[in-house]
């Protein structure tokens, strides 16, 4: 199983994660070319050699209109934000992730004002010339950040706004990590417990604790720890990216490593300030079905006989949006002969309790069943093929002596519309 292990011994930030993943890529030049041709206003991405505590790695330098948002030493805090009397609550976060709440409405365009809301960020991401899977992941990360900022400031998600320059810098980090993950295509991502730092940071609100509120909310359910290192080590962007991609948190699994990437931060500490990414093969001796499974999954099930079709559809789609691996409904007969549905949700075993609470919240059930299941799965991959009408991506799946190949639906549908041909004709 192709496994990626992220060591967060000095926390995680978007640029450090992107740097570590960049070092794992086979074609680094193509990655930088794509990142610098996205059309993000004024954004340039440069990979620069860097050293931390004698360890060589890479620092991804993101410039916005020629300026880089740098980490600031905790003893010399930067302008974290402020609150006006009409409640502009600015986050005291890492400088490229400033978020704040506007109690009053702002009708403004992203490119012409100093702040951008979640909707404007999502609209910007949707314009990027990247695979839909990358854009979807990036939107999911920003949705999580906006929800955490709103919870931290006690305001609706729609009232959260990000500083324009910082937002562009963070969008580049988020999109870069999501794109690098797409290129690396690990079957499993595991992260270490996250070092969040200790002490306080100063902002216009006053002295705030580390980890900051938004980061704390994003890391709920994740093993974290502090320590002697003073300062803010894990940012909301770093926390949201870890939650998006890591299926579990813990020690490094037994794996045969093939490549190691080191993403270096800008702060200097007595110990190495970096994220390390280990890419390799877990369970390298693949087994056949019937001998040993190559994974584990949690199945949560409940019976529902008092929800409308609209309510059921909304609950299922919401659970998927929140990170369930799959959600489906099966018609059934309930107590007293009532027609109803059985809802089944699949998730990572480490998120069992989280999704149990979400099912209880989004459905009318008063209880559900949970069981751990062994899982056999084929290794996913991707390739391209030429058709008389253009290039389409092919999804592949291999393992246990079996190979599956299937056209990427969105690519095939786009060609069918463009050339006004039936979809099945592309397979001829």
């Amino acid at each position: 199983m192709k496994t990626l292990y992220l060591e967060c011994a000095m926390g995680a930030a978007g640029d450090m994660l992107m740097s570590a993943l960049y070092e794992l890529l086979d074609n680094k030049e193509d990655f930088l070319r794509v990142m610098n041709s996205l059309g993000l206003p004024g954004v340039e991405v440069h990979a620069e050699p860097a050293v931390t505590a004698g360890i060589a790695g890479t620092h991804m330098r993101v410039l916005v209109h020629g300026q880089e948002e740098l980490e600031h030493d905790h003893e010399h805090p930067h302008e974290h934000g402020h609150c006006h009397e009409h409640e502009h609550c600015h986050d005291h976060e890492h400088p490229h992730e400033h978020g704040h709440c506007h109690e009053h409405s702002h009708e403004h365009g992203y490119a012409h004002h100093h702040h951008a809301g979640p909707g404007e960020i999502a609209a910007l991401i949707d314009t990027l010339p990247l695979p839909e899977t990358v854009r979807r992941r990036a939107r999911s990360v920003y949705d999580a950040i906006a929800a955490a900022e709103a919870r931290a400031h006690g305001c609706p998600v729609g009232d959260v706004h990000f500083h324009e320059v910082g937002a562009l810098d963070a969008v580049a980090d988020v999109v870069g990590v999501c794109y690098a993950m797409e290129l690396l295509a690990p079957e499993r991502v595991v992260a270490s417990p996250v070092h969040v730092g200790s002490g306080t940071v100063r902002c216009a609100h006053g002295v705030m604790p580390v980890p900051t509120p938004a980061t704390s909310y994003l890391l709920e359910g994740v093993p974290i720890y502090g320590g002697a290192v003073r300062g803010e080590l894990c940012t909301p962007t770093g926390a949201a990216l870890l939650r998006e991609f890591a299926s579990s948190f813990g020690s490094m699994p037994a794996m045969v490593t093939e490549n190691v990437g080191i993403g270096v931060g800008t702060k200097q500490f007595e110990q190495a300030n970096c994220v390390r990414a280990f890419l390799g093969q877990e369970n390298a001796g693949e087994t056949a079905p019937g001998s040993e499974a190559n994974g584990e999954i949690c199945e949560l099930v409940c019976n529902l006989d008092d929800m409308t079709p609209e309510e059921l559809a909304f609950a299922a789609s919401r659970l998927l949006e929140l990170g369930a691996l799959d959600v489906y409904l099966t018609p059934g007969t309930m107590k007293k002969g009532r027609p109803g549905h059985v809802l089944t949700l699949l998730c990572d075993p480490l998120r069992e309790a989280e999704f149990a609470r979400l099912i209880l919240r989004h459905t009318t059930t008063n209880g559900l069943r949970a069981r751990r299941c062994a899982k056999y799965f084929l290794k996913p991959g991707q390739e391209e093929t030429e058709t008389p009408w253009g290039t389409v991506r092919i999804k592949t799946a291999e393992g246990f002596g079996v190979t599956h190949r299937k056209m990427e639906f969105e690519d095939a549908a786009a060609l069918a519309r463009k050339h006004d041909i039936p979809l099945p004709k592309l397979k001829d």
Side-chain angles (χ1 to χ4, degrees), residues 99-102 116-118 145-147 149-151 153 155-162:
H100 64 280
C101 304
H102 284 194
I145 294 172
E149 297 286 2
R151 186 175 171 190
H153 295 304
C155 69
V157 172
D159 287 348
V160 172
H161 283 70
F162 302 92

Side-chain angles (χ1 to χ4, degrees), residues 329-378:
L329 295 160
T330 307
T333 302
M334 308 299 157
K335 294 177 182 177
K336 302 179 182 178
R338 296 171 183 164
H341 289 84
V342 179
L343 182 144
T344 303
L345 180 146
L346 303 179
C347 67
D348 184 272
L350 289 178
R351 302 185 71 182
E352 175 185 318
E354 175 188 353
F355 278 106
R357 289 193 295 270
L358 288 170
I359 290 174
L360 293 170
R361 179 183 178 188
H362 288 286
T363 74
T364 57
T365 189
N366 292 326
L368 51 90
R369 303 177 294 284
R371 51 179 171 257
R372 301 287 179 95
C373 306
K375 180 174 70 168
Y376 296 92
F377 59 90
L378 304 182

Side-chain angles (χ1 to χ4, degrees), residues 113-124:
H113 294 264
H114 296 297
H115 305 101
E120 291 160 312
I121 297 290
L124 176 64

Side-chain angles (χ1 to χ4, degrees), residues 5 32 60 75 169 248 303 314 342 391:
Y5 183 74
L32 289 176
M60 297 301 287
E75 294 178 357
D169 178 272
S248 60
N303 296 347
F314 177 82
V342 179
T391 303

Side-chain angles (χ1 to χ4, degrees), residues 13 15-16 20 38 45 57 60 119 133 135 149 162 167 189 230 235 238 244 274 305 307 338 341 345 358 388 407:
D15 57 346
M16 294 169 71
L38 293 177
V45 180
M60 297 301 287
T133 51
R135 297 197 298 267
E149 297 286 2
F162 302 92
V189 179
R230 306 283 291 181
T235 70
E244 177 69 23
C274 62
D305 65 0
M307 292 181 69
R338 296 171 183 164
H341 289 84
L345 180 146
L358 288 170
M407 282 188 179

Side-chain angles (χ1 to χ4, degrees), residues 41 65 108-116 120 124 164 168:
H65 303 300
H108 51 65
Y110 182 86
H112 305 294
H113 294 264
H114 296 297
H115 305 101
E120 291 160 312
L124 176 64
E164 181 179 20
L168 287 169

Side-chain angles (χ1 to χ4, degrees), residues 239-258:
L241 285 164
L242 290 175
R243 287 303 299 264
E244 177 69 23
F245 288 101
S247 61
S248 60
F249 292 81
S251 58
M252 180 186 291
M255 58 188 288
V256 179
T257 57
E258 300 169 350

